[in-house]
Amino acid sequence: MAEHGEWTKKGASLSDVTARKEYGVNREFIVAGINSGDLEYHEGSVFGSPYIKVLRSQLERYISNHLGADYLSTVKNKAELRAIKKEMQQLKDRMNTLQQRQVELEGS
């Protein structure tokens, strides 16, 4: 059972779509976890498209138990690396913008 208020904490829950992207699991895997009682869930709909929302901590525990701790670790590391690369690209873009602005100001 989830702790009181866990559903409202930022980043504590995720949709089945996000789970597919972050953890490489499909909807059927999540539904199997719900049916087995390992995952609590909420149902929702955005613009008529239904989704399932689960708790990240429970999903990670379920993945670790069924696919292995190594799988979970690898997937989480890849996700962290993607986030770092994205941040690096954003910083490079920001630096280029600032350098262009500096050139413009020095030319005035």
Side-chain angles (χ1 to χ4, degrees):
M1 238 7 228
E3 291 181 24
H4 179 70
E6 189 173 356
W7 284 99
T8 58
K9 291 181 185 174
K10 184 176 175 112
S13 63
L14 67 162
S15 72
D16 60 313
V17 175
T18 303
R20 279 184 254 162
K21 291 177 185 173
E22 287 188 25
Y23 297 101
V25 297
N26 58 28
R27 185 179 178 95
E28 290 76 27
F29 181 81
I30 294 170
V31 170
I34 292 168
N35 291 336
S36 70
D38 292 326
L39 298 175
E40 295 178 55
Y41 72 101
H42 290 154
E43 292 180 300
S45 176
V46 174
F47 300 112
S49 298
Y51 66 90
I52 299 170
K53 193 172 188 180
V54 295
L55 291 170
R56 184 179 302 274
S57 61
Q58 291 178 356
L59 179 62
E60 287 183 356
R61 189 170 36 254
Y62 184 70
I63 289 170
S64 182
N65 290 341
H66 288 80
L67 301 177
D70 288 342
Y71 174 85
L72 180 61
S73 177
T74 299
V75 169
K76 287 176 76 172
N77 287 340
K78 286 181 181 179
E80 184 179 2
L81 182 59
R82 275 193 308 273
I84 290 169
K85 286 182 177 181
K86 181 179 179 182
E87 184 180 0
M88 285 174 55
Q89 186 59 50
Q90 290 171 339
L91 290 170
K92 286 178 186 177
D93 292 345
R94 177 76 174 135
M95 187 174 75
N96 288 337
T97 301
L98 290 172
Q99 286 174 339
Q100 288 174 354
R101 182 71 176 132
Q102 178 184 12
V103 169
E104 290 171 4
L105 290 173
E106 288 174 350
S108 305

